[in-house]
Amino acid sequence: MGKWIEEQLEMWAEDEERPFVFDKFNLNQLDIDEEGILFATYRPESYGEVLFEFFFDVQEDNSLRAEF
């Protein structure tokens, strides 16, 4: 996943002729369900601009699934 993110940031930088980075983790960009364990959404930013969303949820077998 890390390699994909790096390639995506490079592609956006080339297309828009400006740098893209992952800003420092910001707890305000993380939404966790009321129970605190079933699902969460994280919206990483680049210079304060939301890049995309990660959606995380716990499966019935207790494994973690992540989607973009």
Side-chain angles (χ1 to χ4, degrees), residues 8-64:
Q8 197 67 35
L9 295 176
E10 287 176 20
M11 184 179 68
W12 290 335
E14 287 177 18
D15 287 348
E16 297 196 23
E17 298 179 349
R18 63 183 175 120
F20 283 85
V21 298
F22 259 31
D23 291 347
K24 182 178 175 186
F25 176 77
N26 181 347
L27 189 57
N28 293 327
Q29 296 304 110
L30 179 65
D31 294 325
I32 301 175
D33 74 315
E34 295 298 320
E35 300 296 317
I37 58 169
L38 299 178
F39 64 88
T41 303
Y42 183 64
R43 290 171 294 285
E45 297 180 338
S46 177
Y47 301 104
E49 177 184 348
V50 174
L51 295 169
F52 49 80
E53 288 186 343
F54 286 108
F55 178 77
F56 303 94
D57 65 333
V58 178
Q59 303 294 291
E60 288 183 15
D61 65 357
N62 287 326
S63 63
L64 181 65

